[in-house]
Amino acid sequence: MTHNFGASLGEWNALVRRARIGEKRKYVALMVSSYANADGTGIHCGIATLAVDCEIGYSTARRYLAWMRDVGLIELVRKGNQRKGLSDEYR
């Protein structure tokens, strides 16, 4: 039995390219896909890493991840352990 957990990377990127969400949100959403497995799962994207990779502030990166969760673009699968340096996992 196969489970459909959402969008593959190709589907995600096509969706984000078509979306009218503003250039910064679009850029961050496309960057988030670079951390994912091909099936769209296993997204390990820490706030600090996202901030550095996108050249945005830490609070901005946190806000964009929260926005993507709120609108249903990503789903939190597992909470990371920040003391051990493990980021949250999304799909």
Side-chain angles (χ1 to χ4, degrees):
M1 173 195 264
T2 52
H3 297 282
N4 182 2
F5 293 115
S8 70
L9 285 183
E11 293 167 334
W12 169 269
N13 289 332
L15 173 95
V16 171
R17 282 193 309 265
R18 287 190 314 269
R20 299 298 172 240
I21 57 177
E23 65 185 37
K24 290 182 181 181
R25 284 182 176 166
K26 186 174 290 199
Y27 173 67
V28 172
L30 290 171
M31 180 63 75
V32 166
S33 75
S34 73
Y35 306 116
N37 296 328
D39 65 356
T41 63
I43 302 170
H44 293 275
C45 178
I47 294 169
T49 301
L50 185 63
V52 169
D53 289 349
C54 293
E55 299 181 32
I56 57 178
Y58 185 86
S59 62
T60 302
R62 181 180 25 233
R63 189 171 58 249
Y64 285 155
L65 279 175
W67 172 80
M68 285 188 274
R69 282 191 314 270
D70 291 346
V71 300
L73 287 174
I74 58 175
E75 176 184 5
L76 181 64
V77 174
R78 187 173 325 136
K79 194 82 171 137
N81 185 334
Q82 293 180 350
R83 287 186 202 156
K84 294 183 179 180
L86 301 173
S87 63
D88 295 342
E89 179 181 351
Y90 301 96
R91 66 174 168 212

